[in-house]
Amino acid sequence: MDKKSVLCRSSDSSPNSNIKYSLKPGVTLHMYTSSAPCGNATLKKFAKMTREKFIEMDVDEWPKPEHGPINGHAIREGQFALLVKKDPFAQVIQKEPEKDGANPTKKRKVWPANTSDDWTPPGTTIVQTGKGSLHSCSDKICLWNCLGMQGSLLASLFEKPLYLNTLTVGRKLTQCICRRAVCCRLSRLPEFPSKELEESYSINHPSIMGTAVYLDEGGVIEVDNENRGQDVRFHSSKCWAWWPSICDEEKDTTDNLCKFECIDGATGFLFTEVESNDSKPPISRLSTSSLVSCFLDAYRIACGKSELDKKPSLKLDDLLTLKKEISPKHESVKEQILTKHRILRQWKRRGEMKR
């Protein structure tokens, strides 16, 4: 494998089995966010907050995570609740109260947090209203901390899930609130069907740090004077993405060592200032279609799966089928977590409305 790669081939890989990879020794995963992740991490309630104390550390050092158990004293009021971003075009739905599993004719008592979203941070709402479908950043990081950051497809090529080592927040960091949001509210995972899966998947607790070095110097913009606080809605649909090029540096010029795109967040296609007569807008290299195509190319090389020469149509049902075929273990764990975990079973899944 390329010396510049952060991956190494597993010593357990044999000619008769799929090739597996892992991170090279000493390689760790870190995440920086310019502000506290939207959602639960900005919900300044249900915790006793103290003045933050920071210590200076070298660039290659970080504190050991010290995450103690959280007393779930206000779960019914939304202490651990999942939140989604409000979508002005979403169709509001009214769900019937869940019925008790032991007594199907008896309806469960509805928790106060599930009846109204007047307690949620600006721009977010509860899952039950149907006012949004995209989960908050806090929820997504929380899910990564039990399933890993690699996703279902790449899970087929890795020995074990890839977990965050650190999370660094630029602004609005409250340690106890952030810990609750991104990992500690999970408490524990449901039982898995095999010991192998129990040993591979766990709740990851990354080191959470603050920094005085900001990604931008523009400061915090308050968009609503009546409801002050972090608002997860943006007034522009332009999304900028940047990543290092994988091209050969010896053949590439300095200007081409990085790639960037401007994506229209409202459509998912590349943003264009001039309208085109083409029937299909340009597709981003970061779209689901492009990334799945890249994965299939890598999977064929790693595993020699010629039956994947015919690419899926990438309709939702086809993509779900592909994930179950290639990563059955990971999909099994995800199904257990999203259906049986007391918090994550509220997760709004793609295709849910269709079903």
Side-chain angles (χ1 to χ4, degrees), residues 3 5-11 21-29 62 159-160 165:
K3 293 181 179 179
S5 174
V6 298
L7 303 178
C8 61
R9 184 169 175 173
S10 170
S11 57
Y21 297 93
S22 60
L23 294 178
K24 287 181 177 178
V27 175
T28 49
L29 300 177
W62 54 89
E159 281 187 308
K160 55 185 179 180
N165 292 87

Side-chain angles (χ1 to χ4, degrees), residues 28 68 108 140 241 354:
T28 49
R108 290 179 180 175
K140 292 175 183 177
K354 178 182 175 181

